[in-house]
Amino acid sequence: MNVHATESAKIASNLTSKPTAVSLPIVGMTCASCVGRVEKALNRVEGVEKATVNLATERADITLVQPVDQASLVRAIEDAGYEVPSRSITLAIDGMTCASCVARVEKALLAVPGVASATVNLATERASLSTSGTVTDRDLVSAIASAGYEARTVSGSEDNEAHASRKQAEQTALGRDVTVAALLTLPVFVLEMGSHLIPAVHDLVMNTVGMRESWYLQFVLTTVVLFWPGLRFYRIGLPALIKGAPDMNSLVAVGTLAAWTYSVVATFVPQLLPAGTVNVYFEAAAVIVTLILLGRYLEARAKGRTSEAIKRLVGLQPKTARVRRDDELVELALADVVTGDLVDVRPGERIAVDGEVVEGASFVDEAMITGEPVPVEKRPGATVVGGTVNQTGALTFRATAVGADTMLAQIIRMVEEAQGSKLPIQALVDRVTLWFVPAVMAAAALTFFAWAVFGPEPAITFALVNAVAVLIIACPCAMGLATPTSIMVGTGRGAEMGVLFRKGEALQSLKDARVVALDKTGTLTEGKPTLTDLETTVGHAREEILALVASVERKSEHPIARAIVEAAEADGLKLFDLSRFDSVTGYGVSADVVGGRRVEIGADRFMEKLGLDVGAFATIAARLADEGKSPLYAAVDGELAAIMAVADPIKPSTPEAIQAMHALGLKVAMITGDNRRTADAIARQLGIDEVVAEVLPDGKVEAVRALKREYGGLAYVGDGINDAPALAEADVGIAIGTGTDIAIEAADVVLMSGSLKGVPNAIALSKATIRNIRQNLFWAFAYNTALIPVAAGALYPAFGWLLSPVLAAGAMAMSSVFVLGNAMRLKRFRTPIADVGR
């Protein structure tokens, strides 16, 4: 991605503070004249003293004599015909607790000159950025620090273990803090609420401890709760409030400090309060902190479970491999295995890296990669994938991909990217939550004012209690977790089923598909022609005719000829040498087999030219035509001997997959270069709704556009290089994982197996995930919308009901736990086709 005019405009006003040196990466230079052109363009920028461009390092070092905005330098390079490339950066962010935190971090990052895009995910606690070469990691970390959070750069999956350790330590610390807070809060709750609710407890406290002494004890215990386990809320929330950017921690901090401060005044200087308003709310402050810490702890545990799919995928890779080195078998760490190594695998072991079998035969369970439950036979020449399980035999394979290049590493990378992405549905949440916390604080202030002025006596007490309830009930934790947790669990479940969402957006757009367009060859079919029919006339044996025909076709490289030869070789037939071979243009071939037999092969018109009547095969020929197959005839020594057909067989999984798509209410279309009759025959056989036949490779994009205009949302499924443009044109491109790398790169979703069963499974998973997100968002928004007025006291005039801050804290904590629990239900998602992903 380049830094285009929009990004340049965004950073145009940010000037360097003093004359300095700037270094910019440049791509597109090929020779010394390119260097001169870039230097000339940069030296023309006002304020540039000298520009030195290095072709080898592809960088420009620029000395400035006065402040110059970097956008001007970037524009000068682009105007000269070259590019300043962007780079992708991932940051780990600590301290975010709610959706408003996410919005604030994104806003801070986008304000950094040169940041083209920034997406922050609350569930993964990651920020994904696209930046120009002018932006340093320090700039980004500083921007996040200025927003009140901590950040550090991560590269790929190397930070996974450290991140997991940090999260485990955080969870342990939360568990400890919850325990401490609960133990200290319990006596405060019993002393205060017990006295109010149970007369016997009130009498016991008054006769033993005394009311004033009880308040002193509550003060001590509550102060410890607030400023030891609860200190995290004030350390983050108060600075954010001072900066004018309050977050969830600010709400908790203000609410609990208000209750605690009022109680301290009532305890130690009660004469400052109006008569009849001397009450303490230590228990409210302590219980609120304890309940919110409990909610945070439950959140941390649930978040850990949302990323279990990634952990399982990482766990598929063994730690060591048995490698042949200098004619000896040595046990090496996986990082020491290099491409070309010969690796031995025993029965029951996991395959370490990707490779090609050179010795042995076995069956390999590839279910965790492809989602297909049936083990796959492996012989010399077959490919094996790291992480899969060797079952019955011993294998030796040559490593073809190691480290980050293995299929398993790429799958993990794809899943991580999808889990970190932001769906379009999240845009509404972001817009709302950015202003939500300030609006809540304003509502709390209004509540306090209204009760203090218009409320019954003691008005100040009512005003404080209700304002604190509003602050606590409105924490937008659930809003921030609603979307990312469902994405994490949904994409993880997809990976277990062999369905990889390369782009998180596909999760949302796939549910809107109304038609699925399928490429035929390699998608609906095996992609490899085979001999499907061979019928002989009386007096000719099948083996005899197949051997003679294959002996002749061995001279041809045509796919049909190769299919016939492969059929003969599979049957173990001996082929003959030829003494003559002639190609009859437009008709067929004629040859003499050593031994004196003449063989002619071709269409019906060739047989008619030879004076032979093909009527004996009329019934068979009609059946073949109905099946979309073109018959070939063979004559031996001047007599009609056989009719045969070569076709690309339908994959066994295809019919069931199409039925499942229809069950989901989808139209199914086929786009193929086959002639109309063949295409229609295949469509009838499979129940395909619409056929676009005789399409040239460059016509697939227009076919996709036409189907989109007719039906609306379209998903295109393909596997070949010529499918890449159509995959990119479709609303959602789905690539068969056994296809070409180019097709996979152009697709939004990848089916790791060659089976079409993944298509209905992916669509059903998309629908389930978006339904889950909507449930979460409904709960989060409905909860806040309904309970903020209740907390403010809207029901008091009619029913005399008020919402205690303690109940508000409990409800707020449980709303986040509910959202996380609802997202976890996606782990139990069952595929429409029952035997996939089990």
Side-chain angles (χ1 to χ4, degrees), residues 573-593:
L573 302 179
K574 180 183 177 182
L575 304 186
F576 307 100
D577 294 329
L578 304 180
S579 58
R580 177 187 64 84
F581 179 87
D582 293 318
S583 177
V584 185
T585 304
Y587 288 92
V589 295
S590 175
D592 289 335
V593 177

Side-chain angles (χ1 to χ4, degrees), residues 739-775:
T740 65
D741 291 342
I742 293 175
I744 291 172
E745 282 300 315
D748 306 300
V749 182
V750 179
L751 309 180
M752 293 311 298
S753 73
S755 170
L756 268 184
K757 293 178 180 179
V759 176
N761 291 340
I763 294 172
L765 179 61
S766 169
K767 291 177 182 288
T769 303
I770 298 303
R771 185 166 57 246
N772 191 275
I773 288 173
R774 285 175 172 163
Q775 290 166 353

Side-chain angles (χ1 to χ4, degrees), residues 226 233-234 251-261 284-286 288-289 468 472:
L226 266 59
F233 300 117
Y234 311 112
L251 298 181
V252 176
V254 171
T256 54
L257 281 178
W260 179 82
T261 303
I288 286 169
V289 167
V468 170
I472 300 304

Side-chain angles (χ1 to χ4, degrees), residues 774-805:
R774 285 175 172 163
Q775 290 166 353
N776 285 349
L777 288 175
F778 172 80
W779 171 260
F781 279 108
Y783 159 85
N784 285 113
T785 303
L787 292 186
I788 288 176
V790 174
L795 299 181
Y796 185 80
F799 304 100
W801 294 348
L802 290 176
L803 184 64
S804 163

